[in-house]
Amino acid sequence: MTRTPIRWGIVATGGIAEKFCEACAFEAARTGKSALYAVASRSLEKAEAFASPRGIPHAYGSYDELFADPSVDAVYIATPHNLHAELSIQALRAGKAVLCEKPVSIKAKDFYPVIDTARAEGRFFMEAMWMKFNPAVNKALSWVKEGKIGTLKFIRCDFFLNKTYDPASRLFDPVLGGGALLDVGIYPVTAATIFAGKKKPDHLESYLERDASGVDRYNRMQFKYDSGLTAELSSAITLHGIGEMRQLVLIGETGAIVLPLFWMAEEARLLSGDGEMLETFSAPFDCNGYEYEIREVERCMAQGLTESPVQTWDDSIMVMEILDAVRRI
Ligand SMILES: NC(=O)c1ccc[n+]([C@@H]2O[C@H](COP(=O)([O-])OP(=O)(O)OC[C@H]3O[C@@H](n4cnc5c(N)ncnc54)[C@H](OP(=O)(O)O)[C@@H]3O)[C@@H](O)[C@H]2O)c1
């Protein structure tokens, strides 16, 4: 039986952990189905400094201590990518439900044992692919399914960040899984799988520009599906993130859909074949956008599910296998 509220343990104290806690506190106040119960850091001082202003009652100086706390129902793993799979397995074995940041591993082969463990332990596991629960993305998907743009022929999706090189940042550190593809390229790849109907491309070409350490700073991908659908995708961590390079465009035979800032979209636009705006769907976040994945975990756990029907284990594995293919590993 899942307890209410779900008592969350937060693993790591970085940027995304802050955002997640903001959404979790929002949901705790809104419905009481979740509660921020504990946070763990590699340093007790950091854990306490994170816990105190957020009113999180328990702070631990190691991730192990948080996993060992029987009062923690679910953990949110927010470390750099290289630790995701190992910590997920540890948490599942300790009897916790797991919401793990993307990507769950650096390579697909390290992902499979996570799913094997979730299955063996009978525990909930989900990759925190928050875009899957975004109302504007889901509106675009229903427009496509309703035939509002005719047969979908072309997907264009780019996610450019413009960061200054910093060897201390996880983004530029190969050991921590740095690079554009795993950090932001995962979003255009996920967008392609969503709109291609959860299918892998039948043909794939890619180009990655790597720095001396092997980290990719820029990449381009071309996907082709036997249905005739094609996709052009790219991502970068050191190139200008102007509007055009941060949107999703879906071109159908009779119309188009545009999602500005698609991975955190608060608006979807439906256009006719000649560019006339037919409909604008506006969906400002209730909090910061992470509340939707928290609601999904609450819903699944309340129903005793071990996997989300929206962000399935196979969905995550498919994207990871595509990311392997893009890097030819
Ligand atoms: N869903 C989203 O929108 C979204 C957005 C941003 C990031 N993410 C994902 O979330 C993860 C964390 O990203 P972030 O931006 O929060 O990173 P970050 O600010 O660098 O924080 C990462 C945290 O991980 C812990 N950590 C453990 N081992 C570490 C190591 N060797 N080096 C550095 N930090 C280490 C640290 O916390 P302690 O010192 O407290 O242990 C650190 O604060 C990434 O996998 C990323 O893909 C997702």
Side-chain angles (χ1 to χ4, degrees):
M1 282 292 289
T2 299
R3 286 186 287 220
T4 303
I6 294 167
R7 284 179 279 194
W8 285 91
I10 309 301
V11 178
T13 58
I16 195 61
E18 289 181 18
K19 297 259 187 203
F20 181 85
C21 287
E22 189 187 334
C24 200
F26 177 86
E27 286 302 303
R30 193 181 74 90
T31 66
K33 292 181 184 173
S34 279
L36 281 169
Y37 175 82
V39 59
S41 167
R42 293 168 299 168
S43 112
L44 182 59
E45 293 70 32
K46 270 173 84 179
E48 285 173 344
F50 189 94
S52 168
R54 295 175 176 82
I56 301 176
H58 302 275
Y60 293 117
S62 76
Y63 305 150
D64 288 351
E65 287 171 81
L66 184 141
F67 298 147
D69 183 339
S71 295
V72 172
D73 302 311
V75 300
Y76 170 63
I77 296 177
T79 62
H81 321 331
N82 62 314
L83 296 176
H84 290 174
E86 171 190 328
L87 292 174
S88 292
I89 289 172
Q90 222 182 311
L92 289 163
R93 287 191 178 142
K96 313 303 181 196
V98 174
L99 176 65
C100 177
E101 262 310 334
K102 37 61 60 173
V104 181
S105 59
I106 310 274
K107 295 178 181 175
K109 74 172 175 55
D110 298 317
F111 195 155
Y112 308 132
V114 177
I115 299 310
D116 291 344
T117 309
R119 196 172 279 121
E121 299 291 338
R123 297 289 166 187
F124 179 81
F125 175 85
M126 187 175 93
E127 182 182 24
M129 181 38 76
W130 65 313
M131 186 174 72
K132 286 293 250 319
F133 309 99
N134 176 296
V137 170
N138 283 307
K139 179 52 127 181
L141 184 59
S142 34
W143 280 338
V144 171
K145 287 182 175 167
E146 289 160 18
K148 299 261 182 176
I149 60 170
T151 302
L152 179 63
K153 297 297 293 177
F154 181 67
I155 300 170
R156 173 81 203 248
C157 191
D158 308 282
F159 192 157
F160 279 28
L161 288 182
N162 193 13
K163 300 281 186 189
T164 306
Y165 176 68
D166 172 5
S169 159
R170 66 174 181 82
L171 279 182
F172 297 95
D173 185 338
V175 175
L176 304 186
L181 186 68
L182 292 183
D183 199 68
V184 286
I186 190 170
Y187 287 103
V189 170
T190 299
T193 62
I194 292 172
F195 290 97
K198 298 198 174 198
K199 287 201 179 72
K200 266 188 183 175
D202 298 296
H203 311 276
L204 181 157
E205 284 180 29
S206 60
Y207 164 78
L208 289 88
E209 186 179 284
R210 297 181 187 274
D211 67 17
S213 72
V215 159
D216 74 295
R217 296 183 179 191
Y218 165 70
N219 57 67
R220 281 193 68 78
M221 298 159 267
Q222 289 185 321
F223 293 179
K224 189 168 182 323
Y225 299 83
D226 286 346
S227 63
L229 173 66
T230 56
E232 294 257 357
L233 318 170
S234 67
S235 67
I237 48 175
T238 54
L239 290 175
H240 275 289
I242 54 173
E244 290 79 359
M245 303 316 291
R246 309 180 92 180
Q247 64 183 11
L248 167 65
V249 179
L250 304 166
I251 305 287
E253 283 179 333
T254 61
I257 295 168
V258 178
L259 278 96
L261 301 176
F262 71 97
W263 73 96
M264 50 182 281
E266 294 184 86
E267 185 179 300
R269 300 172 190 157
L270 176 66
L271 292 91
S272 71
D274 53 14
E276 182 197 348
M277 186 73 73
L278 298 177
E279 196 176 330
T280 301
F281 176 79
S282 176
F285 294 150
D286 293 342
C287 178
N288 60 8
Y290 296 94
E291 61 275 23
Y292 307 114
E293 66 183 8
I294 293 172
R295 289 174 199 170
E296 178 67 358
V297 177
E298 290 168 349
R299 190 182 72 80
C300 291
M301 287 183 69
Q303 291 179 18
L305 302 178
T306 53
E307 102 181 92
S308 158
V310 179
Q311 176 64 22
T312 66
W313 297 344
D314 280 349
D315 290 349
S316 296
I317 288 170
M318 180 186 295
V319 168
M320 207 63 237
E321 288 176 347
I322 296 172
L323 296 175
D324 276 9
V326 167
R327 289 172 292 167
R328 300 181 197 91
I329 54 173

